[in-house]
Amino acid sequence: MRTLFLSHPRYREHLAPENHPEQPGRIAAIERRLEGESFQHLIRDTARPVTDAEILRVHPVSYVDHIRIQAPHDGLMSISNDTILSNGTYEAARLAAGAACLAVDEVMGGIVDNAFSAARPPGHHASARQAMGFCFFNHAAIAARHAQAVHGAERVAIVDFDVHHGNGTQNIFYSDETVFYASIHQAQLFPGTGEASETGIANNILNVPLAAGANGTAVMAALTEAILPAATAFRPDLLVLSAGFDAHYRDPLGDLNLVETDYAILTRALMEVADGVCGGRIVSLLEGGYDLDALGLSAAAHVSALMGH
Ligand SMILES: [Zn+2]
């Protein structure tokens, strides 16, 4: 399998206060786990900034300008609760969004089979006009729109296995039957949305909230009984993953009980869907994951599965 891995050194210049979970060292924690021999065939490249045309498909120019202007010259500034801007934030966020588009270009163009973007800040809590939950621009939404606008994709499915509900992605596509959004997450956790009754305008939204304490078996049951059949029936041209690794039992922000090998199992199940409906095309985008060891191991298990191991 030809698997693309995208990252960028500038991600670490998006600063956070000490003890903030979404910290600069997260990407290095993943990269360290991808140094071994079993990853020698991983195709590595650096992100490029998102273009205005690409980002404006999802976010209005007034909002993009707001994020750019708000970023402080020195120090840190809170834009909403724990969502913090530093001098390097705007550029990092534009690289993270650009990486999503680059991954779409490479996968839709048949250059690679699938791709994983290890980027920060994350994206799935960002709505068109609202930064929250450590997120500024919604990379999964930008990727889906890019696939539709540039590569002729008619339908895109987004599957989100972060421990938190991707309220931003759901908001953006709630009334858009060309995009299917499915999320497995811990019930009643931040941001409080993601109930099973939230189904979108055309049953294009599917939420499977799990009780605190649920393990990998419960996640796989939710996938195989609900999400995978619905994603298959949707017949997407591309599968985008909001790949958060904060459902790991060691994660400080969630109370689900996955272990790193669960991420390999769920990745293979998602690959099977993609093989059946869209030529295996998967663009996977990092969201959460806040215990550095668990994040590195889980992301490595995910990438290893994407590579066909
Ligand atoms: Zn999360």
Side-chain angles (χ1 to χ4, degrees), residues 181-217:
Y181 173 73
S183 175
I184 303 176
H185 48 269
Q186 183 182 330
Q188 277 120 37
L189 194 63
F190 178 89
T193 51
E195 297 201 13
S197 59
E198 299 163 22
T199 57
I201 197 174
N203 286 321
N204 59 307
I205 305 288
L206 175 57
N207 287 304
V208 185
L210 299 176
N215 62 10
T217 308

Side-chain angles (χ1 to χ4, degrees), residues 103-128:
V104 167
D105 289 336
E106 299 274 307
V107 169
M108 293 301 289
I111 314 292
V112 297
D113 297 303
N114 51 43
F116 176 66
S117 169
R120 59 180 291 277
H124 72 155
H125 296 304
S127 294

